[in-house]
Amino acid sequence: MVSADQKTYSKRLLQLVSWSHWFTFFNIIAAILLSSFYLFTESSPETFLGTVYLFTTWVSHMGFLTFIGFVLILFPLTLIYPQTRFIRGTASVVFTLGLLLLLLDAFIYSRLGYHLNASSSDQILALINTQIQQNNRAFWFISIVLFFSILMFQLVVSNYAWKHLRDLQKTVFAKFVVIGLVVSFFCSHIMHIWADANLEYDILKQDTVLPLSYPSTAKTLLTKYGLFDRSDYIARKTSPISFTESLGDLSQSTAQCQSAQNLTQSSYLLLTKHALSESQVARFSQRANANKLNLTKHIDNALPKDSWFNLLYSLPSVYENQILASGYQPLLFKTLDDNALPANFTLVGQPSADDGYQDYVNLFDNEQYLDDISSLVITNSLKNTQPGLHVFYFNGDDNYQFELFIDALLLSQRDKAVKDNIYISSIGNADRTTGLSIKPALLIAPNSKHSSVRYLTSQMDIQPTLVKNWLNCDVEIIKYSAGTDITRLNENRVIANTMDEGIMVFNKDKSVFIDQNGNFQSYSRQLEAPITVSSDFPLMIDGVNFIKRFAKHNQAEQ
């Protein structure tokens, strides 16, 4: 015979399971409504099929995620400990936290372009911290109101489903809703399979809209963010990365600076095509008698021509063609012109067609080409140099003359009352592989109070650093550069650049190259060799946002 206790347990268990189904059903409706925020973040589909797919995948995917929460959490708890108050209370808290997490994820997606993930925790925490700092009271007020509103909804729904369980079991409308969700689930998957086979971009571009949805491809995301031409994507062709939208008229720079009058300092950029070692940079640092910043995590990932563009224009390589065609002048050179300060370029060694500097010598007032540095170090020319910008590029087969010139320049600084700014670095890469490595550099900046920089720096940071600390120009950096002032760098960040074949992204932990086919290749600093890594789309999107930041600002200014 079956005992009364067993009957009571079975009855209570069946009642709780039935209640939990209805409780989950109401939460599915709530999750679908709240997830509409994701749809507002994206542009509307352009085709009828794209619209149908958007609706079917939206309702079915959110319904599926909510139901999975029931299967993985609520249902096992009900079987293990079928106590009414415990199960109803736990379910209310769990689904409250779930819906709050959904809203937080939607906010992160609207601002950063990707969902909550561990690899971009620094960017996510920085965004949340920024919101708190901007309006502390509003942030916590909204958070508390949302929490108690959703919790109140859960308690009301829980109580209603428990008290009206028999009435709800007699209704038929829920069956049609569930059938609709199941049909939408299969339809959306079938449509995605078809779109993937036929490269239907209007459907594929929606892969990353909803959390925990289809994994996208690198080329789909880069096309979505305007770094690949859509017609090329559909045609399955291979083309170099480039902007699909125009930057507008850049012939006149909107950034102005008239603060460099009566300048007594010079700035030297000492560049070599050979990669510098950490020991070399350490020796240069020891010989300097002014404040210096050891750039231990410096980035120069481009081929020679592109690397000169990164340095002088402080922008990623993808801007190069449009910028050079527009006649746009970097703010550094524009300010020098406005204040009648010279910009000199000196090549030491034999000119070479593959050095990449030739397209940029027109920015300088004076050019000279020397076989060696004897004429510079024997005379007192280094001590009597006119204040201005002086760029020296060494393209010899060895570093002897490069190191000798640096020694002479650093020695000449000892007799100067006002020390000059000196930047020492390699420039350009022989191939893509070497571009994935970190290259040490040195910035001697008398006005700086730091001795080293623990964060990532790049060639794109040099112009804004000189503009701010040398020319005393208080101009918003985003108006003319993708970089930042190195002397004020105080946080981790993602830095990215482009090549014809793909995009390179660097963060504090790794450097990654993503090609057009979606292959991710990373560089192991420990092994000093490229390695294959899993796809990290949030990191790639952070890189795309870094690259497009100047374009977005420029278009907003038009």
Side-chain angles (χ1 to χ4, degrees):
M1 295 180 63
V2 180
S3 66
D5 290 341
Q6 289 177 318
K7 289 183 179 180
T8 302
Y9 171 82
S10 300
K11 182 178 180 181
R12 184 171 64 247
L13 178 61
L14 291 175
Q15 190 175 15
L16 278 174
V17 170
S18 180
W19 168 85
S20 62
H21 280 104
W22 282 101
F23 182 74
T24 303
F25 173 80
F26 289 120
N27 273 281
I28 288 175
I29 303 302
I32 291 174
L33 294 177
L34 291 178
S35 63
S36 61
F37 288 114
Y38 292 106
L39 309 188
F40 298 145
T41 303
E42 298 290 329
S43 58
S44 302
E46 300 174 5
T47 63
F48 175 74
L49 284 178
T51 303
V52 172
Y53 176 78
L54 176 63
F55 176 79
T56 55
T57 192
W58 168 41
V59 297
S60 63
H61 186 71
M62 296 314 303
F64 176 77
L65 288 183
T66 309
F67 183 72
I68 286 296
F70 158 75
V71 172
L72 297 180
I73 301 175
L74 189 56
F75 185 67
L77 285 176
T78 304
L79 296 178
I80 296 173
Y81 192 69
Q83 298 297 319
T84 303
R85 291 185 177 180
F86 172 77
I87 295 299
R88 290 177 56 186
T90 301
S92 298
V93 172
V94 167
F95 278 97
T96 296
L97 296 177
L99 293 181
L100 281 174
L101 191 64
L102 178 66
L103 290 176
L104 175 61
D105 184 77
F107 172 74
I108 296 298
Y109 182 80
S110 67
R111 296 299 182 91
L112 299 179
Y114 48 78
H115 302 281
L116 289 168
N117 66 94
S119 64
S120 297
S121 58
D122 285 344
Q123 286 73 31
I124 293 172
L125 292 175
L127 175 61
I128 296 174
N129 186 55
T130 299
Q131 298 300 314
I132 295 175
Q133 291 179 351
Q134 288 178 349
N135 200 330
N136 183 49
R137 292 184 178 180
F139 176 85
W140 291 115
F141 175 77
I142 294 173
S143 300
I144 292 172
V145 168
L146 284 175
F147 174 78
F148 283 105
S149 297
I150 296 176
L151 180 60
M152 185 63 66
F153 166 80
Q154 299 294 341
L155 294 176
V156 170
V157 168
S158 172
N159 188 61
Y160 176 82
W162 185 258
K163 289 186 175 181
H164 299 82
L165 185 58
R166 290 186 178 181
D167 295 333
L168 290 172
Q169 290 173 336
K170 296 177 182 179
T171 59
V172 295
F173 76 91
K175 296 181 180 179
F176 295 103
V177 174
V178 172
I179 291 173
L181 292 176
V182 172
V183 171
S184 296
F185 180 83
F186 284 103
C187 285
S188 63
H189 279 70
I190 292 172
M191 291 179 69
H192 191 277
I193 294 172
W194 171 83
D196 193 42
N198 294 275
L199 286 180
E200 182 57 42
Y201 176 72
D202 201 39
I203 290 178
L204 297 180
K205 72 177 183 180
Q206 302 177 36
D207 282 352
T208 59
V209 174
L210 299 173
L212 301 176
S213 55
Y214 284 105
S216 185
T217 64
K219 191 165 185 179
T220 299
L221 284 175
L222 291 174
T223 304
K224 178 179 177 180
Y225 281 91
L227 291 180
F228 272 122
D229 186 78
R230 177 178 167 180
S231 60
D232 170 74
Y233 177 90
I234 296 174
R236 289 182 181 269
K237 296 177 182 177
T238 300
S239 66
I241 284 183
S242 61
F243 277 128
T244 57
E245 66 268 15
S246 174
L247 291 176
D249 184 13
L250 291 175
S251 59
Q252 296 294 326
S253 171
T254 58
Q256 301 290 333
C257 179
Q258 301 293 336
S259 305
Q261 298 176 0
N262 302 319
L263 192 70
T264 59
Q265 267 184 314
S266 286
S267 284
Y268 290 87
L269 306 186
L270 310 181
L271 309 168
T272 175
K273 69 176 182 179
H274 299 288
L276 300 179
S277 65
E278 293 183 3
S279 60
Q280 282 179 297
V281 174
R283 288 199 303 270
F284 299 149
S285 179
Q286 290 175 355
R287 296 167 188 169
N289 60 345
N291 293 332
K292 60 262 187 181
L293 290 84
N294 292 307
L295 311 181
T296 58
K297 298 181 179 179
H298 198 60
I299 295 169
D300 174 23
N301 76 298
L303 299 178
K305 179 185 176 183
D306 297 336
S307 191
W308 281 96
F309 177 80
N310 299 153
L311 174 67
L312 299 178
Y313 283 86
S314 302
L315 293 171
S317 304
V318 72
Y319 293 94
E320 188 171 352
N321 292 334
Q322 290 194 51
I323 290 288
L324 296 182
S326 70
Y328 176 85
Q329 188 180 26
L331 179 61
L332 175 62
F333 290 86
K334 187 176 188 303
T335 305
L336 292 174
D337 286 346
D338 292 342
N339 291 273
L341 294 169
N344 303 315
F345 175 83
T346 300
L347 171 69
V348 180
Q350 294 299 317
S352 176
D354 59 356
D355 285 334
Y357 63 85
Q358 291 86 349
D359 290 339
Y360 305 99
V361 293
N362 62 307
L363 293 172
F364 296 88
D365 302 309
N366 305 294
E367 309 165 35
Q368 65 174 334
Y369 299 87
L370 305 174
D371 292 329
D372 55 56
I373 61 170
S374 57
S375 61
L376 299 175
V377 299
I378 294 176
T379 64
N380 291 326
S381 60
L382 292 178
K383 295 182 179 180
N384 302 318
T385 303
Q386 180 184 358
L389 177 67
H390 308 282
V391 178
F392 291 84
Y393 174 56
F394 293 76
N395 69 342
D397 294 331
D398 59 63
N399 282 321
Y400 173 73
Q401 297 221 29
F402 178 69
E403 293 187 9
L404 185 61
F405 179 77
I406 292 176
D407 288 340
L409 180 61
L410 295 178
L411 182 62
S412 69
Q413 294 292 304
R414 296 182 179 181
D415 299 329
K416 287 192 172 185
V418 179
K419 313 299 182 185
D420 297 322
N421 297 288
I422 302 175
Y423 170 65
I424 303 172
S425 173
S426 60
I427 186 167
N429 295 275
D431 53 49
R432 188 186 72 207
T433 301
T434 59
L436 286 169
S437 62
I438 299 298
K439 303 171 180 64
L442 178 66
L443 176 62
I444 301 172
N447 297 333
S448 172
K449 298 179 181 179
H450 303 285
S451 60
S452 64
V453 179
R454 298 181 294 106
Y455 308 105
L456 289 179
T457 57
S458 78
Q459 304 281 47
M460 290 177 273
D461 297 327
I462 302 306
Q463 181 185 193
T465 301
L466 295 179
V467 166
K468 179 66 178 178
N469 297 278
W470 176 45
L471 301 181
N472 300 313
C473 295
D474 191 16
V475 177
E476 187 180 4
I477 292 178
I478 191 59
K479 289 185 177 181
Y480 64 92
S481 169
T484 190
D485 179 4
I486 293 176
T487 65
R488 289 169 171 78
L489 186 61
N490 58 5
E491 62 181 0
N492 290 312
R493 59 177 174 156
V494 169
I495 296 177
N497 204 353
T498 60
M499 302 182 71
D500 288 347
E501 300 86 2
I503 177 175
M504 286 187 174
V505 187
F506 301 78
N507 69 3
K508 63 177 182 177
D509 299 319
K510 60 185 175 183
S511 51
V512 178
F513 176 75
I514 306 106
D515 66 21
Q516 298 184 27
N517 297 318
N519 300 313
F520 281 65
Q521 185 182 73
S522 181
Y523 184 86
S524 170
R525 298 171 194 169
Q526 182 177 4
L527 300 175
E528 296 187 352
I531 57 174
T532 301
V533 296
S534 58
S535 300
D536 190 346
F537 290 122
L539 177 62
M540 188 188 78
I541 293 173
D542 282 332
V544 171
N545 289 332
F546 175 89
I547 291 171
K548 297 201 66 177
R549 188 168 55 188
F550 176 79
K552 290 180 179 179
H553 183 274
N554 178 265
Q555 291 168 350
E557 292 287 305
Q558 300 300 320

